[in-house]
């Protein structure tokens, strides 16, 4: 069994699965890595180790792009030979991951990684793998039978599939479709994903390859690949629904899966609803907000932009047209037309699945026959039920209900020569299915939840047909009708379909009646509209669009500096601009010691005290460090904060020589024995009487929000409100306040969980300029400037100090350190990870300070030595 020290997934992260038997008694032979640049495998591995798993900054000019498509199952059918001496293989033409090749560039090589649908004995696996690689460009992942059982039928089908289709395990014995969470099944899921990753790693060339991962079986895979190759170009497409946050949040490993998916560069969904639910989960569970720019949706995740793609998949037009040309198809169509002569055929084609709503369809059809007797004897519902992929008690129960409904309807309305329901619960060939599409007047899809469902698309293409050798078919008018559930992914694309709530049997029955009662002209118009869409938005269009977005999202991969941090599923890649780097202690200490006149400007909340801390008072350690820095005659130390002056004055009372700029610089005090100064020309605060009622109005309607009244500003906080509602209210309030305060001398700005109204001309940037100007006037022009902050208001400081040399506010060769807290886009050139790093850095500066001889002895208290780190310029 796997180690139970699972919380951090240390064993999984390091690949330590030696305790888990993989079967076969021997390690599988590694496939050769496919190299597209000169070199050996050993050289590449050594280079990766030296670069700490970061690919080279320079892309290969000799290699062409290649894509590795990873899915649970390979697009290959495998069958053991009749003589039991080996295997025969053939492409699975129905496989989506095979069909998507049509949308990829002609010169792009495609490699597949996945598992086979059959069990291959351990002693045959090497030969099978070699044959598949050479003949089909496929790399098989062989999962031991017990692992496959727990991975696929255990976690995928018992936990993820029901949950993603909005089914919660309310009881421990919930049958085979939604049992309670079992952590050992999750561990098997992770292990299976690990084995898939090993197969990808065996053949990947990380600088030149794209990786496209498909569906919910492999949602942990991106973390394993990103850990190994930080700049890998990687996309993921989810072919199932993504549930609302209220459903998804019940999953015990919810954050692990979200973080794994965010290690991709592009994440695709069929509909906006699915994408919206995913974005809501990221916001509510990880605190990550999305941005939309020029039509593209993206999440900023530690400096990387994770793109969100919304594009429903289509059908393979070429394959359908090929089947329509088969001679067997015409024979089958003629046979069915004779069988249903004089009948109006409604058709359902669904997998035998608890979410397909087959029984709801039967009940709705029964209602139509009762309410509209004219269809008794003429309307026939043909229901094709494909073999089930899952299993369990729930499935058996729904099968029993379907059979009972069929018998009841046929008994009540059928007679000799007429069966209102024709139920086909056997495998149906492609040709037979196409023939049923061709003769059906209407297709009915009543799934209660389905990711996409291409049945309506296939039906539309089949009803259009193809031109024969004389072209006569193309000249005759075509029509089709659709009754589709509003809970399936293709529903938004079919504007001419009659959309129904499948749970409402009465309205669904009426929709069936309406669909087959419409005039031929109306049916033709709807069909033409649908066919235009389906024929142009096929599977090739979908894959081409996804690849274009992946190329756009990944275009800066080799320009940015990247490295990985974190353990297990907490692993992520930090991507930064080349000129944005971590501030290392020994580098800034060296510049600090050489300087003759220093300006140190520090934000407070989120910089000297953690943003999540309930106690906002500065620690004794912070007070000691600041006093030591202030005691050095070369230093001018200022606290530049958005807080009110009263609290700052009280908390930093022991700091005699500390300057304080409160409320973003509206109030400034140069030291404890100086009076507070006001730095704003406008002293009229009549605008507060306009703004405060507006803020109170939103506070009353937004639970968890509050208004903070400062002497010069008003701040509305919504960090404790519902994330989605609070954000929406903040946007509405921003527009409201900008409207009512349009003629007032104030600025209205949004920040992290706040909306603030303050006088114009009050910014931390102007405070920085004023402090540096004062130093010049006093003959102490600064040659060292340190500015540290963590939020949007501090960006004004970073922007202003970047231009102080040209304004001659500092010496020509001044060392300037603008430093933000946290790895995020910023106008600062440096960053520190958190408040602990900030305090450690300030402690190191205090250790290097020259205390004033006249300062109190307690200020000279020695500080612990700082850790030695590499030079900041690296």
């Amino acid at each position: 069994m796997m180690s139970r020290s699972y919380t951090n997934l240390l064993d999984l992260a390091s690949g330590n699965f030696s305790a888990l038997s993989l079967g076969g008694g021997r390690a599988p032979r590694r496939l050769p890595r496919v190299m597209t640049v000169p070199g050996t495998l050993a050289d590449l591995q050594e280079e990766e180790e030296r670069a700490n798993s970061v690919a080279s900054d320079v892309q290969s000019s000799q290699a062409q792009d290649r894509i590795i498509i990873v899915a649970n199952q390979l697009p290959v059918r495998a069958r053991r030979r009749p003589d039991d001496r080996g295997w025969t293989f053939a492409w699975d033409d129905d496989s989506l991951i095979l069909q998507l090749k049509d949308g990829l560039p002609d010169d792009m090589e495609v490699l597949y990684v996945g598992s086979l649908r059959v069990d291959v004995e351990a002693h045959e696996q090497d030969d099978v793998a070699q044959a598949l690689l050479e003949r089909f460009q496929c790399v098989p992942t062989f999962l031991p039978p017990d692992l496959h059982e727990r991975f696929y039928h255990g976690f995928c089908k018992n936990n993820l599939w029901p949950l993603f289709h909005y089914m919660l395990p309310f009881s421990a014995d919930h049958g085979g479709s939604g049992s309670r969470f079992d952590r050992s099944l999750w561990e098997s899921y992770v292990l299976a994903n690990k084995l898939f990753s090993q197969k990808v790693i065996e053949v990947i060339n990380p600088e030149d390859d794209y990786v496209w991962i498909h569906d919910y079986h492999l949602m942990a895979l991106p973390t394993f690949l990103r850990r190994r190759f930080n700049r890998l170009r990687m996309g993921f497409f989810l072919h199932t629904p993504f549930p609302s946050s209220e459903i998804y949040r019940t999953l015990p490993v919810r954050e692990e899966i979200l973080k794994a998916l965010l290690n991709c560069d592009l994440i695709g969904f069929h509909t906006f609803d699915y994408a919206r639910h995913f974005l809501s989960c990221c916001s509510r569970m990880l605190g990550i907000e999305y941005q939309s720019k020029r039509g593209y949706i993206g999440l900023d995740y530690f400096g990387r932009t994770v793109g969100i793609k919304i594009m429903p998949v289509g059908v393979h037009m070429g394959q359908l047209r090929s089947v329509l040309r088969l001679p067997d198809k015409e024979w089958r169509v003629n046979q069915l037309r004779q069988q249903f002569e004089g009948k109006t055929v409604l058709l359902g084609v669904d997998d035998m699945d608890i979410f397909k709503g087959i029984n709801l369809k039967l009940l709705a059809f029964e209602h139509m026959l009762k309410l509209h007797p004219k269809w008794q004897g003429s309307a026939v519902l043909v229901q094709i039920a494909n073999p089930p992929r899952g299993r369990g008690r729930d499935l058996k129960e729904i099968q029993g209900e379907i059979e009972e409904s069929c018998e009841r309807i046929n008994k009540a309305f059928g007679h000799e020569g007429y069966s209102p329901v024709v139920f086909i619960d056997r495998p149906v060939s492609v040709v037979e299915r196409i023939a049923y599409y061709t003769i059906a007047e209407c297709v009915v899809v009543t799934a209660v939840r389905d990711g996409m469902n291409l049945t309506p698309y296939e039906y539309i293409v089949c009803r259009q047909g193809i031109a024969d050798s004389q072209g006569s078919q193309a000249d005759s008018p075509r029509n089709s009708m659709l009754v589709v559930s509003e809970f399936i992914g293709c529903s938004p694309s079919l504007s001419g379909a009659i959309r129904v709530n499948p749970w409402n049997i009465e309205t669904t029955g009426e929709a069936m009646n309406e669909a087959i009662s419409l005039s031929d002209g109306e049916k033709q118009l709807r069909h033409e509209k649908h066919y235009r869409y389906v024929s142009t938005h096929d599977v090739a269009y979908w894959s081409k669009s996804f690849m274009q977005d992946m190329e756009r999202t990944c275009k800066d991969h080799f320009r940015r500096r990247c490295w990985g941090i974190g353990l297990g599923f907490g692993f992520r890649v930090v991507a930064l601009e080349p000129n944005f780097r971590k501030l290392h202690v020994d580098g800034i200490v060296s510049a600090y010691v050489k300087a003759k006149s220093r300006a140190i400007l520090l934000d407070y909340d989120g910089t000297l005290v953690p943003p999540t801390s309930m106690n906002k008072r500065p620690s004794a350690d912070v007070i000691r460090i600041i006093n030591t820095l202030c005691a050095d005659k070369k230093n001018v130390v200022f606290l530049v904060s958005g807080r009110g002056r009263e609290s700052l004055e009280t908390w930093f009372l022991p700091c005699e020589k500390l300057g304080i700029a409160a409320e973003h610089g509206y109030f400034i005090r140069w030291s404890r024995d100086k009076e507070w100064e006001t730095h704003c020309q406008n002293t009229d605060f009549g605008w507060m009487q306009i703004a405060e009622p507006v803020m109170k109005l939103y506070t009353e309607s937004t639970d968890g929000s509050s208004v903070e009244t400062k002497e010069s500003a008003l701040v509305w906080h919504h960090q404790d409100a519902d994330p989605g509602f609070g954000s929406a209210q903040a946007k509405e309030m921003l527009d409201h306040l900008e409207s009512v305060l349009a003629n007032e001398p104030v600025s209205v700005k949004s920040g992290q969980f706040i909306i603030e109204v303050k006088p114009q001309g009050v910014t931390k940037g102007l405070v920085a300029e004023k402090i540096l100007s004062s130093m010049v006037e006093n003959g102490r022009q600064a040659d060292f400037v340190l500015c540290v902050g963590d939020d949007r208001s501090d960006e004004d400081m970073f922007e202003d100090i970047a231009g102080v040399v040209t304004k001659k506010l500092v010496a020509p060769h001044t060392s300037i350190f603008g430093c933000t807290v946290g790895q995020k886009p910023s106008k600062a050139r440096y960053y520190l990870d958190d408040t602990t790093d900030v305090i450690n850095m300030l402690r190191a500066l205090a250790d290097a300070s020259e205390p004033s001889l006249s300062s109190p002895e307690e200020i000279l208290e020695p500080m612990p030595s700082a850790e030695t780190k590499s030079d900041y310029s690296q």
Side-chain angles (χ1 to χ4, degrees), residues 29 41 44 93 122 130 190 210 279 292 301 407 426 442 459 472 513 572 609 613 649 755 804 856:
R29 178 172 62 84
L41 176 58
L44 180 62
D93 293 330
Q130 194 66 33
V190 173
Y210 289 91
L279 294 171
S292 181
Y301 189 57
E407 292 176 5
R426 56 172 172 78
C442 175
Y459 168 65
S472 59
N513 172 64
R572 63 270 188 200
V609 63
S613 174
E649 185 176 34
I755 297 292
V804 291

Short mmCIF file of all heavy atoms in Angstrom, two decimals, residues 29 41 44 93 122 130 190 210 279 292 301 407 426 442 459 472 513 572 609 613 649 755 804 856:
data_model
loop_
_atom_site.label_atom_id
_atom_site.label_comp_id
_atom_site.label_asym_id
_atom_site.label_seq_id
_atom_site.Cartn_x
_atom_site.Cartn_y
_atom_site.Cartn_z
N ARG A 29 9.95 -1.89 -19.43
CA ARG A 29 11.04 -1.28 -20.18
C ARG A 29 10.65 0.13 -20.62
O ARG A 29 9.56 0.36 -21.13
CB ARG A 29 11.35 -2.14 -21.41
CG ARG A 29 12.45 -1.58 -22.30
CD ARG A 29 12.80 -2.62 -23.37
NE ARG A 29 11.66 -2.89 -24.23
CZ ARG A 29 11.33 -2.15 -25.30
NH1 ARG A 29 12.04 -1.08 -25.60
NH2 ARG A 29 10.29 -2.47 -26.04
N LEU A 41 19.93 11.02 -24.57
CA LEU A 41 18.98 11.05 -23.46
C LEU A 41 19.68 11.41 -22.16
O LEU A 41 19.17 12.19 -21.36
CB LEU A 41 18.29 9.69 -23.34
CG LEU A 41 17.32 9.53 -22.17
CD1 LEU A 41 16.23 10.58 -22.25
CD2 LEU A 41 16.72 8.14 -22.17
N LEU A 44 20.28 15.09 -21.94
CA LEU A 44 19.05 15.82 -21.66
C LEU A 44 18.66 15.71 -20.20
O LEU A 44 18.29 16.70 -19.56
CB LEU A 44 17.92 15.30 -22.55
CG LEU A 44 16.55 15.98 -22.35
CD1 LEU A 44 16.67 17.46 -22.69
CD2 LEU A 44 15.51 15.31 -23.21
N ASP A 93 -12.22 4.55 -35.43
CA ASP A 93 -12.65 5.74 -36.17
C ASP A 93 -13.65 6.58 -35.40
O ASP A 93 -13.87 7.75 -35.74
CB ASP A 93 -13.25 5.33 -37.52
CG ASP A 93 -12.20 4.72 -38.45
OD1 ASP A 93 -11.03 5.11 -38.33
OD2 ASP A 93 -12.57 3.85 -39.27
N ALA A 122 1.59 -9.26 -18.66
CA ALA A 122 2.84 -8.53 -18.42
C ALA A 122 3.92 -8.93 -19.40
O ALA A 122 4.68 -8.07 -19.89
CB ALA A 122 3.30 -8.76 -16.98
N GLN A 130 5.76 -1.69 -28.35
CA GLN A 130 6.62 -1.41 -29.50
C GLN A 130 5.81 -1.38 -30.78
O GLN A 130 5.99 -0.49 -31.63
CB GLN A 130 7.72 -2.47 -29.58
CG GLN A 130 8.86 -2.12 -30.54
CD GLN A 130 9.64 -0.91 -30.04
OE1 GLN A 130 9.78 -0.70 -28.84
NE2 GLN A 130 10.13 -0.11 -30.97
N VAL A 190 -4.71 8.99 -8.13
CA VAL A 190 -3.46 9.74 -8.24
C VAL A 190 -2.35 8.86 -8.79
O VAL A 190 -1.56 9.27 -9.65
CB VAL A 190 -3.07 10.34 -6.87
CG1 VAL A 190 -1.69 10.98 -6.93
CG2 VAL A 190 -4.11 11.36 -6.42
N TYR A 210 3.69 20.07 -27.56
CA TYR A 210 2.48 20.46 -26.85
C TYR A 210 1.90 19.19 -26.22
O TYR A 210 2.07 18.09 -26.74
CB TYR A 210 1.43 21.05 -27.79
CG TYR A 210 1.76 22.42 -28.33
CD1 TYR A 210 2.46 22.57 -29.52
CD2 TYR A 210 1.35 23.56 -27.66
CE1 TYR A 210 2.75 23.82 -30.03
CE2 TYR A 210 1.64 24.83 -28.15
CZ TYR A 210 2.34 24.96 -29.35
OH TYR A 210 2.62 26.20 -29.84
N LEU A 279 -14.72 28.77 -12.68
CA LEU A 279 -14.17 30.06 -12.23
C LEU A 279 -14.70 30.42 -10.84
O LEU A 279 -13.97 30.97 -10.01
CB LEU A 279 -14.52 31.16 -13.24
CG LEU A 279 -13.88 31.02 -14.62
CD1 LEU A 279 -14.47 32.03 -15.59
CD2 LEU A 279 -12.36 31.18 -14.54
N SER A 292 -11.18 39.28 -17.96
CA SER A 292 -11.52 39.11 -19.37
C SER A 292 -10.93 40.28 -20.15
O SER A 292 -11.21 41.44 -19.84
CB SER A 292 -13.04 39.07 -19.54
OG SER A 292 -13.38 38.88 -20.90
N TYR A 301 -2.26 33.05 -12.08
CA TYR A 301 -1.90 32.05 -11.08
C TYR A 301 -0.39 32.08 -10.90
O TYR A 301 0.35 31.50 -11.68
CB TYR A 301 -2.38 30.66 -11.54
CG TYR A 301 -2.26 29.57 -10.49
CD1 TYR A 301 -2.90 29.70 -9.25
CD2 TYR A 301 -1.56 28.41 -10.73
CE1 TYR A 301 -2.81 28.71 -8.29
CE2 TYR A 301 -1.47 27.40 -9.78
CZ TYR A 301 -2.10 27.56 -8.57
OH TYR A 301 -2.02 26.57 -7.61
N GLU A 407 -43.25 -1.80 -21.33
CA GLU A 407 -44.32 -2.80 -21.31
C GLU A 407 -45.68 -2.14 -21.07
O GLU A 407 -46.68 -2.49 -21.72
CB GLU A 407 -44.04 -3.84 -20.22
CG GLU A 407 -42.84 -4.74 -20.51
CD GLU A 407 -42.54 -5.68 -19.36
OE1 GLU A 407 -43.33 -5.70 -18.39
OE2 GLU A 407 -41.51 -6.39 -19.42
N ARG A 426 -29.41 -3.41 -27.42
CA ARG A 426 -28.27 -4.19 -27.89
C ARG A 426 -27.31 -3.26 -28.61
O ARG A 426 -27.68 -2.14 -28.99
CB ARG A 426 -28.74 -5.28 -28.85
CG ARG A 426 -29.53 -4.74 -30.03
CD ARG A 426 -29.84 -5.78 -31.07
NE ARG A 426 -30.75 -5.27 -32.09
CZ ARG A 426 -30.39 -4.47 -33.10
NH1 ARG A 426 -29.12 -4.07 -33.22
NH2 ARG A 426 -31.30 -4.06 -33.97
N CYS A 442 -38.14 13.20 -35.80
CA CYS A 442 -37.72 14.03 -34.67
C CYS A 442 -36.81 13.20 -33.77
O CYS A 442 -37.05 12.01 -33.55
CB CYS A 442 -38.94 14.51 -33.87
SG CYS A 442 -38.56 15.43 -32.36
N TYR A 459 -27.74 13.57 -36.10
CA TYR A 459 -29.07 13.48 -36.70
C TYR A 459 -29.25 14.54 -37.80
O TYR A 459 -29.75 14.24 -38.90
CB TYR A 459 -30.12 13.65 -35.60
CG TYR A 459 -31.53 13.88 -36.10
CD1 TYR A 459 -32.20 12.90 -36.82
CD2 TYR A 459 -32.19 15.08 -35.85
CE1 TYR A 459 -33.51 13.11 -37.27
CE2 TYR A 459 -33.48 15.30 -36.28
CZ TYR A 459 -34.13 14.31 -36.99
OH TYR A 459 -35.42 14.52 -37.44
N SER A 472 -29.69 14.42 -57.28
CA SER A 472 -31.12 14.62 -57.03
C SER A 472 -31.42 14.85 -55.56
O SER A 472 -32.30 15.63 -55.21
CB SER A 472 -31.91 13.41 -57.53
OG SER A 472 -31.46 12.22 -56.89
N ASN A 513 -45.23 16.67 -29.27
CA ASN A 513 -46.39 16.88 -30.14
C ASN A 513 -46.16 18.07 -31.07
O ASN A 513 -46.45 18.01 -32.27
CB ASN A 513 -47.64 17.11 -29.29
CG ASN A 513 -48.84 17.52 -30.12
OD1 ASN A 513 -49.32 16.77 -30.96
ND2 ASN A 513 -49.31 18.75 -29.91
N ARG A 572 3.19 24.48 -7.80
CA ARG A 572 2.83 25.38 -8.88
C ARG A 572 4.10 26.01 -9.43
O ARG A 572 5.14 26.02 -8.76
CB ARG A 572 1.85 26.46 -8.44
CG ARG A 572 2.37 27.43 -7.38
CD ARG A 572 2.08 26.96 -6.00
NE ARG A 572 2.40 27.95 -4.97
CZ ARG A 572 2.60 27.64 -3.70
NH1 ARG A 572 2.54 26.37 -3.29
NH2 ARG A 572 2.86 28.57 -2.81
N VAL A 609 2.68 43.15 8.92
CA VAL A 609 1.79 42.25 9.65
C VAL A 609 1.01 41.44 8.61
O VAL A 609 0.58 41.98 7.59
CB VAL A 609 0.83 43.04 10.57
CG1 VAL A 609 -0.07 43.96 9.77
CG2 VAL A 609 -0.01 42.10 11.43
N SER A 613 -3.92 38.03 9.70
CA SER A 613 -3.83 38.11 11.16
C SER A 613 -4.99 38.92 11.73
O SER A 613 -5.33 39.99 11.24
CB SER A 613 -2.49 38.75 11.55
OG SER A 613 -2.43 38.95 12.94
N GLU A 649 -0.41 55.99 15.31
CA GLU A 649 0.27 56.79 16.34
C GLU A 649 0.35 56.00 17.65
O GLU A 649 1.38 56.00 18.33
CB GLU A 649 -0.49 58.10 16.54
CG GLU A 649 0.18 59.07 17.50
CD GLU A 649 -0.60 60.38 17.57
OE1 GLU A 649 -1.86 60.33 17.47
OE2 GLU A 649 0.03 61.43 17.74
N ILE A 755 -13.65 49.24 -1.71
CA ILE A 755 -13.90 50.41 -2.55
C ILE A 755 -13.58 51.62 -1.68
O ILE A 755 -14.13 51.74 -0.57
CB ILE A 755 -15.37 50.47 -3.02
CG1 ILE A 755 -15.72 49.26 -3.90
CG2 ILE A 755 -15.62 51.77 -3.77
CD1 ILE A 755 -15.03 49.24 -5.24
N VAL A 804 12.55 58.69 -10.04
CA VAL A 804 13.10 59.76 -9.20
C VAL A 804 14.50 60.19 -9.63
O VAL A 804 14.92 61.32 -9.36
CB VAL A 804 13.13 59.33 -7.71
CG1 VAL A 804 11.73 59.22 -7.16
CG2 VAL A 804 13.91 58.03 -7.53
N PRO A 856 19.11 55.78 22.87
CA PRO A 856 19.02 55.01 24.11
C PRO A 856 19.68 53.65 23.96
O PRO A 856 19.70 53.07 22.88
CB PRO A 856 17.51 54.88 24.31
CG PRO A 856 16.92 55.99 23.52
CD PRO A 856 17.81 56.22 22.36
#
